[in-house]
Structure formats: structure tokens, C-alpha cells
Amino acid sequence: MTQGIPNNIYGLHSAEEQFREKACSIIDADTGLQLHLAVTEAAMDMADVLRQFDTSDEDLKVAQILGMRTFNAFGASIKLTLSGYHQNSALILRDVMETVFLLDLFAGDRLLIERWRFADKKARMRDFSPVKVREALDARDGFTSKKRFEVYELFSELAGHPNMKSSWMMRPQRDGDAVIGPFMEATALEAVISEMGRLAVQVGEKLDHFFPANWDQCLPSRLAFTQLKLKWIKTFYAPAGGP
């Protein structure tokens, strides 16, 4: 019986570090990817600042915990995609999506937080399952196109559930074969990081609702996020033909 970490695991880590260097080179040459990661870091900072607020409000503590969950998920997702595990990184981003939808629901109606805290499993699945949360948000916002469902379904198909489509994220080349282990290819890296940036904007926006109004300590983080968010929106959602 051997002791310690097997040599093959060490070798795998060495390959992951090489892929990380390649990923960093791709990012260094792409200002769009840099902006996605910058707004992600800003959203993570907001989660870190929010959790530092000392409170006895159990409902606010829920928002703090959910923010901390997104921080950890973003960190893990970044680690995985830079190491070449793009499908696994996307799977974690689906968790971010579920969490930000729940934060959105709670930001719109704080009374729901207490219901969620005290709900047993049956009540939680009836009222707060991912599909119920999406339906409640669509009804609240007057959305009929089911865009939230479509994006969630895409994450599930490509990363969340074993199926034929999920093999697409295991292929370095679109028409090539699936590979075992990590790989680094610009298109896959860009796809994951761009979705990460989009989710980070949503996370920061929802966390912003939970900061106490007179807590000055949070202002630098909130301002930094807002500035990056506006730059992100202008960069990726500017009207065609606009300035």
C-alpha cells in the first residue's frame, strides 16, 4: 500500500498548471475576458464585504450566506476553467445561477426569507425549488419568454446532466473527439468566462439590495462594482451603431 499522493495525480496537477499558464496568456490578450473577470472579482468583493456586517437579523444572515456561497462558487469555477476543466466549471456556474435567482426573489420580497428559513423539505420543494423560483420571478417581472428556464436548461444540458450534448464541452474542437482530462482551448475558455461575467453582474446587483443604508464601510466595494458593471454593459450590450 502506497502512501501520499499518487504520482499520476501529481502529473495531472502539473498539466493543469501548464494549462493555467496558457489560459492566462489567452486572457492577457483579450480585454473582453479581462472585463468579465474584473466584474466577477468585484461581485466576489461585495459578497466578502457584506458578510463582514455584524448583525443579529437572521434574514440578513441568509443573504450573507448566499453571498458567501457565490464567492466560493466563483472561486472554484475560475480555478477549474483556468485548469482546463471547462464543463465542471460551468456546472458550478449553474449553482451560481440558482443562488442568484433565490437572492433576486428575496430582494423583491424580504418576507419570503423567513418562510424559506423555516420551511421543511416538502414546503421548500413546493415553494422554493429552482423551477418554482424561476416561475415566481417570471410572474413578478411579467416575463413570458422563459429566458431564465432556457439559460438554466442550457447549463443543465451541457454541464449538469450526462447526455449526448454534454460531450460537446469535452471536445477541444467542435467537430473533434471528446478527450479525457483537462484541455485548454480559447473558445471553451471564452464561453465559460463570458457566462461567469454575466452571472457576476446579476450577483452584484442582487447583493447590493441587502447592504444596510447607513453602513459606510460598504461604499468603496459597491462603487467599484457599479463602475465595472456599467463598463461591462456598455461593452457587451451597447446598441448597434451606438457610440
Side-chain angles (χ1 to χ4, degrees):
M1 181 177 179
T2 61
Q3 295 182 345
I5 298 176
N7 288 335
N8 282 340
I9 303 299
Y10 272 119
L12 184 60
H13 176 70
S14 177
E16 293 163 0
E17 291 300 292
Q18 292 177 30
F19 286 135
R20 183 183 179 92
E21 291 182 7
K22 183 177 179 180
C24 289
S25 296
I26 294 171
I27 294 167
D28 287 343
D30 191 318
T31 56
L33 294 181
Q34 294 169 28
L35 182 54
H36 287 306
L37 287 173
V39 80
T40 300
E41 188 273 340
M44 293 172 70
D45 187 68
M46 287 184 70
D48 184 37
V49 172
L50 180 61
R51 62 99 187 166
Q52 297 175 44
F53 182 73
D54 188 17
T55 182
S56 59
D57 184 336
E58 295 300 324
D59 290 347
L60 181 55
K61 288 180 181 180
V62 167
Q64 290 174 318
I65 290 293
L66 293 177
M68 293 161 65
R69 183 184 181 96
T70 65
F71 181 102
N72 294 343
F74 278 135
S77 184
I78 292 168
K79 177 73 171 179
L80 285 169
T81 198
L82 294 185
S83 299
Y85 297 104
H86 310 291
Q87 185 178 59
N88 306 86
S89 177
L91 176 58
I92 292 176
L93 290 180
R94 191 183 70 163
D95 183 86
V96 175
M97 182 183 299
E98 289 187 14
T99 305
V100 76
F101 286 168
L102 194 59
L103 280 166
D104 191 0
L105 188 69
F106 292 162
D109 186 352
R110 299 292 183 93
L111 296 178
L112 292 175
I113 301 179
E114 184 175 4
R115 281 181 53 193
W116 183 80
R117 285 198 294 117
F118 289 105
D120 58 20
K121 183 176 180 179
K122 181 178 180 180
R124 190 174 68 252
M125 294 306 296
R126 182 189 67 230
D127 300 329
F128 298 104
S129 66
V131 63
K132 292 298 183 181
V133 170
R134 292 196 306 271
E135 290 174 351
L137 290 174
D138 286 345
R140 182 198 69 187
D141 298 335
F143 294 165
T144 58
S145 60
K146 295 187 177 181
K147 289 293 184 181
R148 290 184 175 98
F149 166 77
E150 292 174 2
V151 177
Y152 183 86
E153 184 72 3
L154 180 63
F155 272 94
S156 297
E157 286 284 294
L158 294 179
H161 304 305
N163 57 66
M164 290 307 298
K165 289 184 179 179
S166 65
S167 67
W168 294 351
M169 292 198 72
M170 299 170 65
R171 300 175 182 174
Q173 304 299 326
R174 181 181 180 88
D175 298 321
D177 294 329
V179 299
I180 191 169
F183 66 88
M184 188 52 59
E185 192 274 326
T187 302
L189 181 69
E190 291 165 3
V192 173
I193 292 180
S194 63
E195 286 300 317
M196 188 183 301
R198 185 183 61 80
L199 286 169
V201 168
Q202 297 176 62
V203 167
E205 288 179 335
K206 304 318 169 189
L207 289 177
D208 193 61
H209 289 280
F210 293 96
F211 282 100
N214 298 320
W215 191 45
D216 292 343
Q217 183 177 327
C218 68
L219 294 180
S221 181
R222 296 173 72 186
L223 178 60
F225 170 78
T226 299
Q227 291 174 335
L228 280 167
K229 180 189 78 170
L230 293 175
K231 182 178 180 180
W232 186 92
I233 293 172
K234 182 177 180 181
T235 299
F236 298 108
Y237 286 92

